Amino acid sequence: MLITTLNEFIIERQADFPYAKGELSRLLSHIGIAAKVVNRAVNKAGLSDILGEVGSRNIQGEDQKKLDVFANQKFINGLQGSSECCGIASEENEEIIIFDDEMGRNGKYVVAMDPLDGSSNIEVNVSIGTIFAIYRRLSPVGHRAKIDDFLQAGSNQVAAGYIIYGSSTMMVYTTGRGVNGFTLDPSIGEFCLSHPNMTMPSVGFIYSVNEGSYLKFPNGVKKYIKYCQENDEQTKRPYKSRYIGSLVADFHRNLMLGGIFMYPHTAEYPTGKLRLLYECNPMAFIVEQAGGRASDGMGKRILDMIPIELHQRAPLFIGSRNMIAKVEEFMVNFPDER
Ligand code: AHG
Ligand code: MN
Ligand code: MN
């Protein structure tokens, strides 16, 4: 069987971006290298001294795990090493990281990332991931990256992807010409093309939401969950409920099988929990490229939101087209009382 490695594929596709002169390709392959380094640590997490907390909290007030900090550092190093990146916004850093040397100032791209997604699943051997979004900078090349380089609408992304450290490790990414998935073959240490041209079923039968927060959900979401649970032969309900608690893993399953993932606003998280720049936007870009949709539940496209803060949160409804349309219908028909 002929195999195509991630690097071969990236080079083959370089012609799609005549203006890019290989810079984006270099950036993507360095992300692939960092992913392998993180994968190695994740794989033996129970053996080495890498489980547990570091004793610090990130900007969101969340306890940082050792693996959060480790993955963050590896991706920062990888992106800096690519010499194409002038700055990074990370979940684990309050401020943007600026590569303020000559090489960094000449980088054309900025990256927003969640280096380790699903932190609460690290300790218990459940799938976790990494999410990244790549933008062309707005500030002039040759200067320091600026915060405005990161506060762009998701529709400006030039590439986005995730790595899932699951029963196998995969990298899935898009540059706006479809979605492709690569599985890490540990015996040769390469990501190999395993899922070319991924598309999401437009009709899904899985709903993913943290139902423990049910009482705090908006009315429309409550009604939609009940709809998912009703019996109806024609629409194949009840749907299956599946929730891992790692966005990457929940999203990946739904992308493959068809489904909806919801993280609405709740009393605890009045604007939703997930972060627009490095959780919602990259997944929204991928889902649209695969034929699905991502909205705030009220019909607003995630990719059209203009961020005003680095760590801004947004409600996220993402998945198969029929399911997003249905939940939006419930949100309109059953508004919250004020
Ligand atoms: P992170 O580990 O990067 O902080 O992200 C956790 C996120 C996301 O992965 C997941 O979908 C969501 O939090 C789960 O939240 P609940 O525990 O509230 O369901
Ligand atoms: Mn996350
Ligand atoms: Mn994280």
Side-chain angles (χ1 to χ4, degrees):
M1 195 184 70
L2 214 59
I3 52 172
T4 305
T5 66
L6 174 66
N7 282 338
E8 283 169 346
F9 184 87
I10 291 171
I11 291 163
E12 265 172 34
R13 291 293 172 101
Q14 202 164 293
D16 287 351
F17 305 94
Y19 58 84
K21 300 197 201 80
E23 291 124 344
L24 183 59
S25 306
R26 213 152 29 237
L27 195 55
L28 283 167
S29 42
H30 276 258
I31 291 177
I33 297 168
K36 287 193 243 179
V37 175
V38 172
N39 175 68
R40 199 172 50 195
V42 168
N43 261 229
K44 54 177 187 192
L47 296 172
S48 47
D49 185 27
I50 201 154
L51 288 181
E53 282 160 19
V54 272
S56 53
R57 294 190 151 197
N58 67 12
I59 166 74
Q60 269 93 204
E62 300 155 344
D63 292 324
Q64 284 182 310
K65 311 269 184 192
K66 286 184 194 162
L67 212 48
D68 283 322
V69 174
F70 177 87
N72 194 36
Q73 201 51 54
K74 294 302 162 194
F75 279 98
I76 293 171
N77 294 350
L79 290 165
Q80 186 166 26
S82 77
S83 77
E84 308 299 349
C85 179
C86 60
I88 298 178
S90 165
E91 182 192 355
E92 303 305 330
N93 297 84
E94 179 169 1
E95 308 286 347
I96 54 172
I97 300 161
I98 300 174
F99 298 136
D100 198 9
D101 54 359
E102 202 190 333
M103 193 170 82
R105 286 192 295 266
N106 284 321
K108 290 192 179 134
Y109 295 94
V110 294
V111 176
M113 67 171 179
D114 178 354
L116 218 290
D117 172 67
S119 307
S120 65
N121 282 324
I122 296 173
E123 242 92 316
V124 290
N125 213 339
V126 171
S127 298
I128 50 183
T130 296
I131 313 174
F132 61 90
I134 305 178
Y135 293 84
R136 206 162 301 120
R137 68 189 293 179
L138 298 174
S139 57
V141 173
H143 295 259
R144 281 164 60 90
K146 291 209 166 71
I147 180 87
D148 288 349
D149 294 324
F150 297 88
L151 301 181
Q152 304 190 47
S155 53
N156 280 0
Q157 288 170 99
V158 292
Y162 60 83
I163 295 106
I164 175 168
Y165 312 97
S167 46
S168 63
T169 294
M170 279 188 75
M171 175 156 156
V172 173
Y173 81 94
T174 182
T175 52
R177 312 225 164 168
V179 181
N180 291 285
F182 301 79
T183 303
L184 181 65
D185 180 342
S187 64
I188 57 170
E190 294 279 3
F191 281 103
C192 301
L193 182 63
S194 52
H195 297 65
N197 267 322
M198 296 172 80
T199 53
M200 177 166 209
S202 58
V203 178
F205 303 100
I206 295 173
Y207 72 102
S208 310
V209 65
N210 183 347
E211 268 181 270
S213 304
Y214 182 86
L215 295 176
K216 299 177 197 154
F217 286 156
N219 248 330
V221 172
K222 288 184 183 165
K223 297 276 188 204
Y224 177 69
I225 291 174
K226 287 295 157 217
Y227 166 86
C228 293
Q229 297 169 344
E230 274 162 20
N231 272 311
D232 180 59
E233 248 173 61
Q234 216 187 343
T235 48
K236 296 205 194 142
R237 285 176 292 145
Y239 297 151
K240 280 191 159 74
S241 162
R242 292 285 184 271
Y243 191 75
I244 294 169
S246 295
L247 171 65
V248 169
D250 280 307
F251 176 85
H252 182 73
R253 180 203 51 242
N254 292 357
L255 175 68
M256 303 283 295
L257 302 178
I260 185 173
F261 174 93
M262 301 182 279
Y263 212 112
H265 67 85
T266 61
E268 195 181 358
Y269 297 110
T271 56
K273 179 186 181 190
L274 299 177
R275 277 59 56 106
L276 179 59
L277 263 68
Y278 41 82
E279 292 180 318
C280 304
N281 270 337
M283 293 316 208
F285 189 20
I286 294 168
V287 89
E288 287 196 4
Q289 284 293 315
R293 278 188 59 207
S295 92
D296 68 347
M298 298 301 291
K300 189 170 170 66
R301 185 178 174 232
I302 293 290
L303 294 181
D304 286 338
M305 292 182 176
I306 311 285
I308 46 175
E309 274 169 14
L310 222 47
H311 299 286
Q312 185 171 332
R313 298 171 194 265
L316 180 65
F317 295 74
I318 189 165
S320 296
R321 302 191 78 86
N322 78 313
M323 300 181 95
I324 303 294
K326 198 56 155 184
V327 72
E328 284 177 346
E329 197 183 302
F330 277 92
M331 290 290 275
V332 171
N333 292 342
F334 301 99
D336 285 323
E337 288 137 33
R338 297 200 159 255

